[in-house]
Amino acid sequence: MHARHTAALLFLPLLSLTACMNQPSAVAGARNVTYSTDLSGKATTCTVPAVALADGKDTATTMTTSGNGWCGIPVRQNDQPYGAGLLVQAPRNGSVYVHLVGDDTRVDYIARPGTTGPDAFAVKFIPGDAMMHVAVINTAPPPAVAAPAAAPTKAPTRATTTRTTTTRSRTSK
Amino acid sequence: MIALKAGRALVATAVLVGMTAAAQARCASPSDQEAFDVGALKSELSVLAVACSNEEDYNHFVERDRSELVRSDGVVNAWFKKTYGRAAQPRYDSYITLLANEQGLKGQHEGSDFCPRQKPIFAEAAIVPVPQLAQFAAVKDLLPKDMACVIETGAEGSGRSTPARRESHPTATHKKK
């Protein structure tokens, strides 16, 4: 306990400094704030159908993801986020993160880097014990788009000036 | 003689550990994984309590879930004893400190959003039935990757480690080059 608290205390001044440096990133507009942290890092491909869960019922759904970030399924209970999520079946090749994002409970699947192929997981939500089974297909991430080649530029020309010379002729006496 | 045989067995699995290490991120035993998850939850809430002045919420959590926290702590300690023998305590202390550090670093990245964004976890934990605490901890992204059941092969605190092989005895080790 002591070691843990000491470690945590070390971060208090750092957190304070960071708070000064970072502008608030919350995106308002719903009953609950949506934080930009929860919107960044999404997988390039993340295809999930809309899911409607029911208390005490088991719902199966699918997810196709490119595995280079999180892929999330938003769910609600009576237009509200759930109280909490419980992992019933762990994925073999990734992890699951259930958290509050705005007015949704969002279930994120994060594939282990380099994973391709099928995976599956199941989450139970409380209160109400709605269950969601997700069959995942991990695809290879799309190839990175190469930056366009820079257009050739002409070498800058030096500014020229025109000189006028006047010649004098000598006259002999 | 027993130690020699065990040593040969460890060496024999070393190559396989190396081959499968990249795919491993969980404990060999599901009950070990659950215990590590609960320990990580306790650590996370402890970090939040200090960083975000949520001591009262943390104390409620510890009181309410004491039986499960003590049980899980016992499983984690048993894993360290089984893995490190007499070096178990300093290894365990090092792991706990590293875990809190990693969880605190996450807070740095989130800046001023950290406390309000993370605070709901206390309310969530409060409605989870005590026997299901591990299932809740498993969906909160609390363990930095490959920290559960990771075997330190270097000197204590050196940071050199290798994940435990899923199918083999958790004391298998692999010397990193």
Side-chain angles (χ1 to χ4, degrees):
Chain A
M1 187 70 133
H2 174 72
R4 197 181 319 133
H5 273 177
T6 304
L9 282 167
L10 288 173
F11 287 95
L12 275 177
L14 287 170
L15 278 175
S16 305
L17 282 173
T18 313
C20 291
M21 283 157 41
N22 289 357
Q23 293 300 315
S25 59
V27 177
R31 287 175 298 231
N32 293 314
V33 169
T34 301
Y35 296 97
S36 56
T37 303
D38 292 319
L39 301 178
S40 64
K42 189 174 179 179
T44 311
T45 301
C46 173
T47 307
V48 293
V51 174
L53 303 178
D55 288 352
K57 295 272 178 15
D58 210 330
T59 303
T61 188
T62 59
M63 172 189 286
T64 304
T65 176
S66 51
N68 53 353
W70 56 264
C71 185
I73 303 174
V75 294
R76 290 190 187 189
Q77 182 186 40
N78 301 324
D79 205 33
Q80 297 280 341
Y82 279 95
L86 307 173
L87 190 68
V88 172
Q89 177 194 346
R92 285 185 64 83
N93 298 309
S95 59
V96 175
Y97 179 32
V98 178
H99 57 135
L100 179 67
V101 178
D103 294 334
D104 294 318
T105 292
R106 199 177 76 197
V107 182
D108 294 347
Y109 167 80
I110 305 111
R112 210 164 291 146
T115 296
T116 54
D119 203 351
F121 66 92
V123 176
K124 186 166 78 170
F125 299 93
I126 56 174
D129 290 348
M131 184 91 84
M132 181 172 74
H133 278 87
V134 185
V136 182
I137 296 293
N138 286 293
T139 62
V145 175
T153 54
K154 285 172 85 170
T157 55
R158 293 180 66 176
T160 55
T161 55
T162 304
R163 279 190 182 177
T164 306
T165 58
T166 306
T167 56
R168 287 187 186 174
S169 58
R170 271 195 184 184
T171 53
S172 58
K173 286 187 176 170
Chain B
M1 177 63 88
I2 293 171
L4 188 60
K5 282 185 182 172
R8 284 184 187 149
L10 291 177
V11 169
T13 57
V15 172
L16 285 171
V17 168
M19 286 167 62
T20 59
Q24 304 308 315
R26 296 178 67 81
C27 299
S29 152
S31 58
D32 285 347
Q33 181 65 47
E34 288 176 0
F36 273 85
D37 284 336
V38 171
L41 175 64
K42 186 172 75 164
S43 176
E44 174 82 3
L45 297 190
S46 170
V47 168
L48 285 172
V50 174
C52 308
S53 303
N54 283 118
E55 289 91 352
E56 197 175 323
D57 290 333
Y58 177 74
N59 290 338
H60 285 150
F61 163 73
V62 168
E63 268 309 305
R64 178 183 179 268
D65 294 276
R66 183 179 296 279
S67 59
E68 180 56 28
L69 294 174
V70 167
R71 190 197 69 78
S72 294
D73 221 22
V75 173
V76 172
N77 268 294
W79 185 88
F80 274 86
K81 281 191 184 121
K82 189 169 57 174
T83 306
Y84 294 111
R86 286 197 293 180
Q89 191 59 53
R91 292 286 186 181
Y92 174 76
D93 291 342
S94 175
Y95 163 78
I96 289 293
T97 304
L98 183 63
L99 177 61
N101 286 352
E102 291 290 326
Q103 290 170 336
L105 275 172
K106 192 171 65 176
Q108 278 189 45
H109 294 308
E110 295 183 27
S112 58
D113 287 350
F114 177 64
C115 289
R117 180 172 174 267
Q118 297 294 341
K119 192 174 175 180
I121 194 172
F122 285 104
E124 292 176 26
I127 69 163
V128 172
V130 176
Q132 294 175 306
L133 196 64
Q135 291 177 279
F136 169 70
V139 296
K140 299 315 285 184
D141 191 29
L142 298 167
L143 270 169
K145 50 184 175 182
D146 296 342
M147 273 199 79
C149 294
V150 170
I151 300 164
E152 292 280 333
T153 52
E156 183 191 320
S158 70
R160 282 182 291 155
S161 62
T162 187
R165 182 164 178 265
R166 194 185 191 96
E167 292 84 20
S168 73
H169 192 277
T171 55
T173 57
H174 171 61
K175 286 197 193 307
K176 294 186 80 167
K177 291 178 186 172

